[in-house]
Amino acid sequence: MRPCKALFLYQVYALNNVYKHGTTNAMSVESTRREMLGRTMTSTFGGIVSSSGWIAPDAAVAKTDNDASFASYQIFPDASAALDPSLQQIAPSDLNQILAMTNTDGGSGGALWLGEHHNSAKDHMLQADFVRVVHEQRQKKLGNKNGKMSVGLEMVQVQFQPALDDYISKKISAEEMKSRVDWDKRWSWSFEGYLPVFETCRELNIPIIALNVDSEDLGLVEVGGFPNLPRDKIQKYISDPAGFAQFASYPYFKTYVDYTIGPSYDLH
């Protein structure tokens, strides 16, 4: 479904009202997501975006830096015992170019993570505008073939991918999509809040990809762990077991699990 040369945007829960680009290696453990993010993180490249006030459509990601309604910063990590990273403000236009990944490996793309507060309308407006500006820049510089991108949704479980496909292809309405993905039961946060993202993807014909685990499979694991999940179910989520095992063996992955995923899971 997704070409090799593409950008994949993941829309997931943020530890704060920020948007991160890069690979996080470590983060101090605190009692809340805000405190966790407020401490420290290390990354190969980091960028955070902080917005204030209501963000109007088509205004969040401005054409010029003077019109931008957000501030952006590059994170300079500190892997020493002090764990004292620093920030340097960067122009929003420079951030947009970084997010579009048109200058990386010939524009081959990668993955960009967009964080959010689930109940924040302005977060979703900013996400939608990032999707639009990244798409515009990739199309302009790389063309239709190599400038493709997709948007991944934590909010929708993988079994409902056909409903997302039908929505993007304009076969069904947003309300029909909401019903078919069982939104009210399986996600529950305001569907209308996410409409700016959905409508932008539909308008620009950007595929949206279901990322969340099916509730039925999650229930099996909660009761009996991974051994309780049939092989065909495991293959649905892990298409490359050897590659996954190798990735999970790296100490960076364990650090990420211990300092980021674990505390976040406990807070849900």
Side-chain angles (χ1 to χ4, degrees):
M1 178 177 295
R2 296 182 295 275
C4 294
K5 288 193 173 183
L7 176 65
F8 194 39
L9 277 68
Y10 295 84
Q11 188 178 346
V12 296
Y13 190 88
L15 298 176
N16 199 351
N17 186 21
V18 302
Y19 297 83
K20 298 180 292 180
H21 168 64
T23 304
T24 301
N25 295 333
M27 184 175 292
S28 299
V29 178
E30 297 292 339
S31 60
T32 71
R33 288 182 173 83
R34 291 180 182 274
E35 292 172 340
M36 287 168 64
L37 187 68
R39 295 290 294 174
T40 182
M41 66 180 69
T42 59
S43 60
T44 55
F45 168 85
I48 63 175
V49 177
S50 178
S51 62
S52 60
W54 174 254
I55 300 174
D58 301 325
V61 183
K63 296 298 182 181
T64 66
D65 294 331
N66 292 333
D67 296 331
S69 58
F70 64 87
S72 51
Y73 302 84
Q74 181 171 351
I75 302 171
F76 293 91
D78 177 14
S80 70
L83 289 177
D84 186 22
S86 60
L87 298 177
Q88 178 177 314
Q89 188 165 4
I90 59 177
S93 59
D94 291 338
L95 176 66
N96 293 339
Q97 293 181 16
I98 293 170
L99 299 185
M101 298 185 193
T102 56
N103 297 321
T104 304
D105 296 328
S108 59
L112 170 66
W113 302 78
L114 300 181
E116 66 178 48
H117 288 98
H118 297 325
N119 60 348
S120 172
K122 67 179 182 180
D123 281 12
H124 301 315
M125 293 295 296
L126 186 57
Q127 288 171 330
D129 284 330
F130 272 130
V131 170
R132 182 178 297 278
V133 75
V134 166
H135 179 268
E136 289 178 353
Q137 293 201 23
R138 289 184 62 81
Q139 290 289 306
K140 181 178 180 180
K141 188 164 185 177
L142 302 175
N144 184 61
K145 180 178 180 181
N146 293 332
K148 293 181 179 179
M149 57 185 282
S150 302
V151 174
L153 301 177
E154 175 202 13
M155 307 83 201
V156 180
Q157 297 177 6
V158 296
Q159 63 179 299
F160 301 123
Q161 183 61 51
L164 300 183
D165 295 340
D166 287 347
Y167 172 73
I168 292 299
S169 62
K170 300 179 175 61
K171 294 180 180 177
I172 62 175
S173 66
E175 279 300 314
E176 289 176 288
M177 188 257 283
K178 175 185 177 182
S179 176
R180 284 179 54 181
V181 302
D182 203 9
W183 183 278
D184 291 337
K185 178 180 178 182
R186 297 179 186 251
W187 187 247
S188 76
W189 295 93
S190 171
F191 180 81
E192 288 69 25
Y194 290 90
L195 274 176
V197 175
F198 299 156
E199 291 174 345
T200 299
C201 290
R202 179 176 167 118
E203 174 192 342
L204 301 175
N205 197 32
I206 298 173
I208 48 180
I209 312 300
L211 297 179
N212 215 339
V213 175
D214 294 339
S215 297
E216 296 81 358
D217 297 336
L218 179 61
L220 293 175
V221 175
E222 288 177 337
V223 171
F226 277 116
N228 202 34
L229 201 61
R231 180 176 296 273
D232 64 316
K233 297 288 187 181
I234 294 178
Q235 291 176 341
K236 180 171 64 173
Y237 301 110
I238 306 176
S239 58
D240 180 12
F244 179 81
Q246 181 181 11
F247 177 78
S249 68
Y250 295 139
Y252 296 112
F253 180 77
K254 185 179 186 304
T255 300
Y256 176 66
V257 171
D258 291 344
Y259 285 88
T260 303
I261 295 190
S264 179
Y265 182 83
D266 291 339
L267 288 170
H268 268 73

